[in-house]
Amino acid sequence: MSSRLSVRLSRLLNMVPYLMAHPGISAAEAAADLGVTTKQLMSDLNQLWMCGLPGYGPGDLIDLSFSEESIDVTFSAGIDRPLRLTSTEATALLVALRSIVDTPGMVDPSAAHSAIAKIEAAISGAAPEAAGVPRPVEAPAVATVRAALAARHALRLVYYSASRDVVSERIVDPVRIVLVDNNSYLQAWCRQAEGVRLFRFDRIEAATELDEAARPPSDAADDAALDLFQDDPALPLARLRIRGDYGWVLDQYPIQRLAVHADGSLEATMRFATLDWMARLLLGFGSGVTVLGPPELVAAVRERSNAALAAYDEAGYEEAGPA
């Protein structure tokens, strides 16, 4: 409950300067920008109408003129005044900005670096950095995705899928940008897959903003969609035995642990899209991971292993031994 209240308080505090910057905005547009439903926005406006400076007389409360068609702030009660940060608050803000500024898609890097320079200058009392200092340039695909998201337009993506080891082109309806395990993703409705998918920014090879509105389903922003490795029963399932000292593999790949054996090894399963890609992946683990099934994957790994050994024999390599 306290978490929901703090989120609402933050939203209410931000609504006044936002609404003053967008006079006459409709409730539907404001709700979309603020990430709430129109019903919730109207409830927030009614709550905001009763907030203001101590004394709470008619001249102290925030005054609004609003309906679903148009919203205007007629008296701000001082909430639009410039924010003054304490040194602790400024330091915390700097840490937060620096942690996301180099994460693709999360913020406009030029704007973030400008904010960092101004906060540092305010703390130190020095002049902000010179205007001639070059600003970081955002990757074109990342900038396009952010622009399409802001305009609520559909996107055409050229995307490399690591799990399938293929590059594909698809049309998506962007929902939002999220940070998962220190990687930034575009959460979007994929028209090809007819489902919500996460597209990692560093794997988006190209992006084109389309001249059509994005049409994601109403439940596309559900946090359940943030599961990076949703189990797809249509994909084949590999059964693996993982050596105890290779337990780190479980943290790097979408592997489901089934059992732990007495020798410390793990029995696990993993879905895969193509036999060729899975065989290459498993060969890279050497003796650390043994394939138990299905038979066609066991055969593929054995065939590739034998081919690699034969290539070594033909090249005349000998096993290293005592000098």
Side-chain angles (χ1 to χ4, degrees):
M1 175 65 75
S2 60
S3 176
R4 289 199 300 271
L5 288 175
S6 64
V7 169
R8 190 181 190 196
L9 175 61
S10 297
R11 189 168 65 244
L12 289 172
L13 291 174
N14 283 304
M15 280 177 67
V16 173
Y18 167 81
L19 293 172
M20 294 190 72
H22 301 82
I25 192 171
S26 70
E29 291 176 309
D33 285 349
L34 296 170
V36 296
T37 64
T38 302
K39 180 180 178 181
Q40 179 63 63
L41 178 74
M42 299 303 288
S43 174
D44 287 345
L45 290 172
N46 278 296
Q47 179 72 44
L48 195 59
W49 203 13
M50 300 304 295
C51 297
L53 299 171
Y56 308 112
D60 298 315
L61 298 175
I62 294 171
D63 201 3
L64 305 165
S65 171
F66 63 94
S67 66
E68 292 200 4
E69 288 71 37
S70 177
I71 305 171
D72 286 287
V73 178
T74 56
F75 182 68
S76 68
I79 291 184
D80 59 328
R81 293 173 185 167
L83 178 66
R84 286 181 171 80
L85 301 175
T86 66
S87 59
T88 301
E89 290 170 336
T91 301
L93 184 57
L94 280 175
V95 171
L97 281 170
R98 286 174 178 150
S99 69
I100 64 172
V101 70
D102 295 322
T103 305
M106 297 305 295
V107 293
D108 178 346
S110 179
H113 276 281
S114 175
I116 288 172
K118 290 175 181 177
I119 295 171
E120 289 177 336
I123 293 174
S124 65
E129 63 181 48
V133 175
R135 299 290 189 183
V137 179
E138 197 169 28
V142 176
T144 299
V145 170
R146 287 200 310 104
L149 187 62
R152 295 194 285 277
H153 284 172
L155 280 163
R156 177 181 289 108
L157 299 181
V158 177
Y159 186 73
Y160 169 68
S161 175
S163 62
R164 297 176 183 271
D165 194 25
V166 295
V167 175
S168 62
E169 184 175 306
R170 60 189 79 193
I171 306 295
V172 304
D173 298 296
V175 176
R176 58 179 171 172
I177 293 171
V178 295
L179 188 66
V180 182
D181 293 336
N182 296 320
N183 287 306
S184 52
Y185 295 81
L186 169 67
Q187 183 180 349
W189 175 264
C190 177
R191 297 183 187 177
Q192 177 182 323
E194 295 186 343
V196 177
R197 295 292 184 269
L198 291 177
F199 300 95
R200 207 165 109 172
F201 269 94
D202 58 1
R203 293 177 184 162
I204 298 175
E205 298 190 356
T208 304
E209 183 177 353
L210 302 181
D211 190 21
E212 61 176 283
R215 303 186 304 274
S218 58
D219 60 350
D222 191 334
D223 284 341
L226 298 184
D227 182 5
L228 292 179
F229 306 116
Q230 296 178 12
D231 194 36
D232 185 351
L235 296 177
L237 187 67
R239 291 189 301 109
L240 311 171
R241 185 160 184 147
I242 303 170
R243 216 167 61 197
D245 56 340
Y246 270 67
W248 56 268
V249 171
L250 277 73
D251 296 325
Q252 301 294 325
Y253 297 91
I255 295 175
Q256 298 295 320
R257 184 170 61 180
L258 299 180
V260 179
H261 297 289
D263 62 356
S265 65
L266 309 168
E267 192 166 334
T269 60
M270 176 178 169
R271 297 281 180 189
F272 62 96
T274 65
L275 195 66
D276 186 61
W277 180 87
M278 190 64 176
R280 290 204 313 272
L281 174 69
L282 294 173
L283 282 171
F285 296 135
S287 62
V289 178
T290 302
V291 187
L292 305 177
E296 58 270 23
L297 180 58
V298 174
V301 172
R302 182 180 293 116
E303 180 181 345
R304 283 177 169 268
S305 298
N306 291 337
L309 291 173
Y312 270 90
D313 289 341
E314 289 177 8
Y317 292 110
E318 295 182 359
E319 186 176 350

